[in-house]
Amino acid sequence: MPLENNPFEVSPRPGVDVARATDLVREVYGVEGAVSELGSHQDRNFRIDTADGARVLKVANRGWGRAAVEAQNSALLHIAGLDAGFDAPIPLAGLDGGVVHDVTDVDGAVLPLRLLTYVDGLPLSDTRHLSPLVIADLGRLAGRASAALAGFEHPGLTRVVQWDLMRADEVLVGLLGSIGDPDRRALVADRAAAAAEQLAPIADRLRVQAIHGDVTDDNVVGDRDDAGRIRPRGIIDFGDLTRSWLVGDLAVTCASILRHSPADPFAVVHAIRAFHDVVPLTDDDVAALWPLVVLRGAVLVASGEHQAALDPDNDSATGPLESEWRIFHTARSVPFAIAEAVIRAALGCETAAHHAAAHDAVRSARRLFPSVDDPAVVDLSVTSAALHSGRFLARSVEIEILRDAAAATGGGAVTRWAEARLTRTVLDSPDEPATNALGVELVLPHGTAAVSPWDATVADVDGTTVRLDSAAGRLTVHGLALTVAVGSTLRAGAPLGVVGSGHVRLGLCVDPSIDPPGFATATTAAGWTVLCPDPSPLLGVDVAAARDDAAALLSRRDDVLAGVQEHYYVEPMRIERGWRHHLVDTSGRSYVDMVNNVAAVGHGHPRLADAVDRQMRLLNTNSRFHYGAITEFSERLAALAPDGLDTVFLVNSGSEAVDLALRIAQAVTDRPDVVAVREAYHGWTMLSDAVTTSLYDNPHALTTRPDWVHLVSAPNSYRGTFRGADAAAGYAEEIRALVASLVADGRPPAAYIAEPVFGNAGGVLLPEGYLAAAYDAVRAAGGLCIADEVQVGYGRLGHYWWAHEMDGVVPDIITIAKAMGNGQPLGAVITTRAIADAFAAQGAFFSSAGGSPVSCVVGLTVLDVIEDEGLQANAARVGDRIIARCHELMARYPIVGAIHGMGLYLGIELVRDRETLEPATAECYAICERLRELGVVVQPTGERANVLKMKPPMCLTVESADFVVECLETVLRDGW
């Protein structure tokens, strides 16, 4: 029916300017203050800054009418009397005591005038990226608005609102003509009609109440949290208040989120869950939600085009047009059925009744290939033993594995349904890959007969492909020599044809109107597998992949592991595969691993795996036995060390290496005292923990030090005690003074221990000359110098094998681990023969597993790989590129305070202020979470947890390095 009060004819904004507004607010409300105009689509809004705080003067569009404005005021007063959980404006009375007044604009129209309190805060619309937290906040806010308005009634709610989705079809009839492009106009009309068709059967059952109708990024404000994200807190305008479908409130909010996440429409699920927690959605609400999102998108673009033509100078109307089209296109790109199924899965709702009936029909199916008994079910998952050594990267491997399995059994082979295939992962991609198989593939003997599993109609025949429609939905089979024709009606068991080439693909879909993809993303898989059910009944064998539940596994981990044994990320992905510098989770998503300096030569290295397998089959025992590997490996290590450091102790870890180094120094010098550096990490054993001073790793580190540990400042020329080009002199003088004081007190140090590059701070390079001065001071007092190279040595710096080489010094003792074993427990202490012999006078030393045959073979193989594959040179080349590109980021983004490190031991220090160096700690954690979403694993480090540490496997490629920097720029540009 036609609109009684057509909003299209009254939509120009009122003719009221700042001068007129200044007069009105003084004459009607007795308020004085600076007046500035606020943006508005169809009204005129002005901010009044008074001595008592800000106010908002609102001049309503001539089409709204006084009753509608009075309804808004009543709603605001209603909410003010509740504990609604959000901020909203409050109407203020004029000099005559009234809260709604009439004003005449330049055209003589009488318009409603109001003064409201100003809801302070930052607009969410300025944020390019909305994090899951913020999206959930927005959904929760919409739910709270709906809950607050439940039961609210007012005569003014009956007005026709352009944005009322109950009237979307009528609104579009009046506005579609404003879309000048005929193709776009036809597309909007088609998608709107399809949405209306979806709503028709349930429209009368949808709940109706007063709704806000505009809880969107444009209409909410909030405050920045510690990470700098704007968290929605208040709703600034109630201009679209009306009586309409309750679920329409959520649809409007979801549509606004699509503006920020066109590549991931199901980011809205976070908002839907949060809304549902406040206002539980009914079965009909869930079915209606996505059609309403599409209708909202259609109304937005039609209205936007109309308003832009009507008021071309209004930036509030013309500015959002591009993003409104983005909302529409994103919404209409998702089939209604899949949207509903994904939302149901996210909320834990039951499967839609019509889909459940189709599932029952699937379970009653006859076998599609009656002569095929017990085909081999192949594994293409992330943990498949057939996909080692990067074999998964060749797409042809899927059919190769199928054919091998079929040949081995002499029969058939089949892939698994709902399996996240490793073969479908995509490296160096910010987008979630479609890895979850919605159908299956088979290799069967040529001539294998196929029959119809149900009473069915042949919907289509195309070459070797047949599509059957039945009570179970649509079955599509590819790879048959067919004997049926389009339109044929088949009884269950009727012949379809025979297998032709031997490679068959089949898929089920309970909705014949949908042409499903072959694979779904992890986000949408729970929905798609409802629409594309398990085909096991058709095959006579269980082909359903086991459901992976990373959250349940994490709960089990938390139940049995000590809480202090931490894990990365609050909600960690389950990693079960690594290849070179990539990690892959069980959903098939790959990540560039930028933190694993343990895996120096990369994950899953076939040469290393073969060496371990070979040695494990021969011998693995303790190092007191005599075997070749321990000698060969120790010789290699000694050859890599500086001249004079020719004696090796083998242990299991860096902590043990540091512990042993300190024991050696104390025993050889017959002194207990040790000089260590603040903010450093050296290990978890008694002695290594004693010299660990990092508050990041242990908040009590400085108050629990034994009295034999003496600390000097962290030699950090960026934010330490001494800074800039002359920092080395200050730090050198400090350590000289400390050593002199200890000598004077009769407690000369046994040793000085430090990382030659400040690894725990994110790869901070020590001031040039500092280490030489420190070594000289300690040696002058008879002490030994220990270089902790556990993290920063072993070729990782690229330009140097050992980090201590940078300062031209030779330590007395070197400790190493991590990179030595590529994940195998392996560590070492390298020192002089004289020092080792002096320590031997204290008694025998051994480590049962340290230097075992397998560990030594691993160590030898790692050294071979580093040399043969040129990984040290690669670390220099790729590291230099990352540094250069990050300096470019630093020039554009003030949060980047410094770039630390060398080669592939780097740190990007984040600060809130480059002058004060206030650490951006919360931002650092949030950025790491956002990078994880984009496919990059990075973690915070440093005393203030404000440094992005980058210490990847040394095989990192230029392409992956560029991808990492590009992802970081995306986050810095769009937010986190």
Side-chain angles (χ1 to χ4, degrees):
M1 67 179 188
L3 295 174
E4 296 176 1
N5 187 13
N6 193 328
F8 325 130
E9 297 177 357
V10 296
S11 51
R13 291 181 299 162
V16 175
D17 58 15
V18 169
R20 177 74 171 127
T22 302
D23 293 338
L24 285 171
V25 76
R26 181 179 60 251
E27 295 166 3
V28 179
Y29 297 96
V31 171
E32 299 277 358
V35 179
S36 56
E37 185 166 5
L38 302 171
S40 177
H41 201 257
Q42 293 176 332
D43 297 334
R44 288 281 185 178
N45 298 324
F46 301 89
R47 173 173 172 155
I48 320 297
D49 286 300
T50 76
D52 297 325
R55 303 287 186 263
V56 176
L57 184 71
K58 299 182 71 69
V59 186
N61 187 287
R62 69 185 69 180
W64 293 167
R66 187 181 182 93
V69 172
E70 289 175 342
Q72 293 174 35
N73 273 3
S74 294
L76 290 171
L77 293 170
H78 168 78
I79 290 168
L82 303 173
D83 183 12
F86 61 91
D87 296 337
I90 299 173
L92 300 174
L95 294 174
D96 63 358
V99 291
V100 179
H101 301 83
D102 292 331
V103 60
T104 302
D105 76 356
V106 293
D107 297 326
V110 178
L111 308 175
L113 179 72
R114 292 179 293 157
L115 188 68
L116 307 174
T117 58
Y118 183 85
V119 179
D120 200 9
L122 299 168
L124 192 61
S125 55
D126 292 344
T127 304
R128 295 179 68 164
H129 168 74
L130 299 184
S131 74
L133 278 174
V134 175
I135 291 172
D137 287 344
L138 200 53
R140 190 175 301 108
L141 188 61
R144 287 173 176 168
S146 296
L149 291 168
F152 173 75
E153 298 290 348
H154 190 280
L157 293 176
T158 60
R159 75 167 176 128
V160 173
V161 180
Q162 185 183 97
W163 309 109
D164 180 1
L165 294 178
M166 286 181 69
R167 313 291 293 272
D169 54 344
E170 303 167 45
V171 172
L172 288 170
V173 166
L175 290 179
L176 274 174
S178 298
I179 302 176
D181 185 318
D183 292 335
R184 277 187 159 188
R185 185 166 62 248
L187 179 61
V188 173
D190 176 73
R191 290 295 81 206
E197 184 179 352
Q198 292 288 317
L199 288 168
I202 57 174
D204 290 342
R205 300 199 301 265
L206 296 177
R207 293 173 291 175
V208 175
Q209 68 162 64
I211 67 168
H212 180 274
D214 197 19
V215 183
T216 65
D217 54 347
D218 288 323
N219 206 26
V220 302
V221 294
D223 305 309
R224 292 196 185 278
D225 65 9
D226 290 341
R229 294 168 297 217
I230 299 174
R231 307 292 297 274
R233 168 183 46 77
I235 303 174
I236 60 175
D237 185 79
F238 277 64
D240 295 335
L241 181 75
T242 190
R243 181 175 175 80
S244 187
W245 289 321
L246 169 61
V247 70
D249 245 352
L250 177 57
V252 167
T253 299
C254 288
S256 77
I257 293 166
L258 297 183
R259 184 200 315 268
H260 303 268
S261 57
D264 180 18
F266 288 108
V268 299
V269 162
H270 301 290
I272 295 169
R273 284 199 196 102
F275 186 99
H276 181 68
D277 288 342
V278 179
V279 180
L281 299 170
T282 66
D283 193 72
D284 290 330
D285 290 335
V286 173
L289 182 54
W290 205 258
L292 289 173
V293 172
V294 172
L295 281 177
R296 170 67 173 185
V299 170
L300 278 173
V301 295
S303 176
E305 295 283 359
H306 177 82
Q307 194 71 24
L310 196 65
D311 197 359
D313 295 329
N314 181 4
D315 290 342
S316 294
T318 59
L321 259 178
E322 182 181 344
S323 64
E324 287 166 347
W325 277 106
R326 187 161 63 242
I327 289 170
F328 169 72
H329 286 307
T330 304
R332 62 99 178 172
S333 71
V334 181
F336 298 121
I338 184 58
E340 180 181 345
V342 169
I343 294 166
R344 285 184 180 280
L347 298 182
C349 300
E350 293 183 2
T351 301
H354 56 291
H355 292 160
H359 287 199
D360 290 339
V362 172
R363 286 188 283 270
S364 68
R366 290 195 182 191
R367 284 165 56 184
L368 179 62
F369 304 104
S371 65
V372 178
D373 293 318
D374 199 24
V377 181
V378 303
D379 180 3
L380 298 175
S381 73
V382 172
T383 57
S384 171
L387 297 174
H388 295 325
S389 303
R391 190 184 180 201
F392 64 90
L393 294 173
R395 185 61 55 81
S396 62
V397 75
E398 294 179 343
I399 189 65
E400 291 170 8
I401 292 171
L402 268 174
R403 286 173 176 161
D404 290 346
T409 62
V414 61
T415 61
R416 295 195 291 197
W417 170 81
E419 178 178 67
R421 291 191 191 176
L422 178 61
T423 50
R424 299 285 166 159
T425 195
V426 181
L427 303 183
D428 298 342
S429 172
D431 301 320
E432 185 181 30
T435 59
N436 289 258
L438 300 179
V440 297
E441 297 167 63
L442 303 94
V443 166
L444 298 173
H446 180 76
T448 300
V451 303
S452 177
W454 313 275
D455 293 346
T457 301
V458 180
D460 185 38
V461 173
D462 182 8
T464 63
T465 300
V466 63
R467 294 178 178 85
L468 302 179
D469 286 348
S470 71
R474 174 164 290 178
L475 169 66
T476 303
V477 186
H478 306 270
L480 299 180
L482 296 163
T483 57
V484 294
V486 176
S488 302
T489 299
L490 305 176
R491 300 291 293 176
L496 291 176
V498 296
V499 173
S501 66
H503 182 205
V504 177
R505 290 182 290 118
L506 67 89
L508 274 168
C509 186
V510 298
D511 188 336
S513 68
I514 294 177
D515 184 17
F519 295 84
T521 64
T523 297
T524 61
W528 272 118
T529 50
V530 171
L531 299 180
C532 301
D534 179 5
S536 293
L538 284 73
L539 304 171
V541 63
D542 185 2
V543 296
R547 296 275 184 180
D548 173 58
D549 193 336
L553 184 69
L554 181 64
S555 179
R556 287 166 51 199
R557 170 185 171 132
D558 291 343
D559 285 344
V560 70
L561 262 69
V564 73
Q565 197 161 344
E566 62 182 11
H567 53 72
Y568 292 140
Y569 303 110
V570 176
E571 297 180 356
M573 57 282 199
R574 180 180 175 182
I575 300 294
E576 297 287 358
R577 169 78 69 171
W579 173 243
R580 293 180 58 79
H581 53 282
H582 287 91
L583 298 169
V584 187
D585 68 19
T586 46
S587 77
R589 177 72 191 269
S590 72
Y591 305 84
V592 179
D593 179 2
M594 293 298 290
V595 300
N596 235 312
N597 60 333
V598 172
V601 302
H603 301 285
H605 201 293
R607 187 169 172 182
L608 192 56
D610 291 346
V612 170
D613 178 71
R614 183 169 54 251
Q615 184 60 49
M616 189 64 80
R617 293 178 187 279
L618 286 172
L619 172 72
N620 199 28
T621 186
N622 78 66
S623 57
R624 289 182 171 184
F625 286 95
H626 180 44
Y627 45 86
I630 194 169
T631 301
E632 294 169 15
F633 182 46
S634 298
E635 287 175 341
R636 291 280 293 275
L637 290 177
L640 289 167
D643 290 344
L645 274 66
D646 54 8
T647 306
V648 175
F649 296 82
L650 293 176
V651 292
N652 297 299
S653 69
S655 293
E656 289 182 79
V658 170
D659 195 285
L660 176 58
L662 292 169
R663 281 187 56 200
I664 290 171
Q666 290 174 326
V668 169
T669 62
D670 195 25
R671 303 171 180 173
D673 294 274
V674 173
V675 175
V677 174
R678 293 180 185 272
E679 301 184 17
Y681 177 80
H682 296 288
W684 57 266
T685 62
M686 288 294 288
L687 291 183
S688 62
D689 179 68
V691 294
T692 289
T693 55
S694 169
L695 299 180
Y696 175 71
D697 296 286
N698 175 7
H700 308 290
L702 298 182
T703 58
T704 58
R705 294 309 90 209
D707 63 5
W708 53 266
V709 176
H710 308 278
L711 303 180
V712 291
S713 297
N716 186 331
S717 57
Y718 175 67
R719 64 158 62 249
T721 305
F722 306 100
R723 303 178 184 180
D726 298 326
Y731 291 117
E733 182 56 36
E734 181 187 13
I735 194 168
R736 281 194 289 263
L738 174 63
V739 171
S741 174
L742 290 173
V743 171
D745 289 343
R747 303 180 66 180
Y752 165 74
I753 183 169
E755 290 182 288
V757 166
F758 205 5
N760 199 61
V764 174
L765 304 182
L766 305 190
E768 185 177 354
Y770 163 72
L771 203 58
Y775 280 19
D776 287 346
V778 172
R779 283 173 172 157
L784 301 179
C785 299
I786 302 171
D788 182 352
E789 299 265 5
V790 168
Q791 292 199 85
V792 296
Y794 233 65
R796 173 163 291 282
L797 298 184
H799 300 281
Y800 302 95
W801 180 266
W802 301 111
H804 64 258
E805 295 177 80
M806 293 182 63
D807 218 14
V809 299
V810 176
D812 301 298
I813 303 173
I814 298 173
T815 62
I816 47 176
K818 293 189 186 295
M820 294 173 66
N822 213 65
Q824 173 76 8
L826 182 57
V829 171
I830 308 176
T831 188
T832 66
R833 174 61 59 179
I835 291 173
D837 287 346
F839 176 64
Q842 305 292 317
F845 168 82
F846 74 96
S847 176
S848 293
S852 71
V854 167
S855 290
C856 288
V857 165
V858 167
L860 284 164
T861 306
V862 167
L863 288 174
D864 287 342
V865 170
I866 292 175
E867 180 178 351
D868 296 347
E869 296 183 8
L871 296 188
Q872 182 180 355
N874 185 70
R877 180 175 59 256
V878 178
D880 288 350
R881 183 177 180 87
I882 294 174
I883 291 169
R885 294 203 61 188
C886 285
H887 275 291
E888 293 172 3
L889 296 185
M890 186 176 174
R892 292 195 292 274
Y893 302 101
I895 193 173
V896 180
I899 313 298
H900 302 304
M902 177 183 290
L904 291 180
Y905 202 109
L906 305 172
I908 301 173
E909 183 149 0
L910 306 179
V911 296
R912 292 175 178 169
D913 186 303
R914 287 184 179 175
E915 294 298 320
T916 66
L917 303 189
E918 179 186 359
T921 300
E923 292 90 335
C924 190
Y925 278 102
I927 287 169
C928 288
E929 287 287 349
R930 176 64 180 138
L931 284 170
R932 189 265 293 264
E933 293 174 14
L934 295 175
V936 178
V937 173
V938 179
Q939 283 292 297
T941 192
E943 195 74 349
R944 300 149 198 87
N946 69 314
V947 181
L948 298 171
K949 61 181 172 186
M950 293 187 173
K951 43 180 187 171
M954 292 163 62
C955 56
L956 181 74
T957 61
V958 167
E959 293 76 15
S960 291
D962 285 345
F963 169 71
V964 169
V965 177
E966 286 156 12
C967 286
L968 179 57
E969 176 155 30
T970 295
V971 177
L972 296 178
R973 181 189 67 236
D974 296 348
W976 46 86

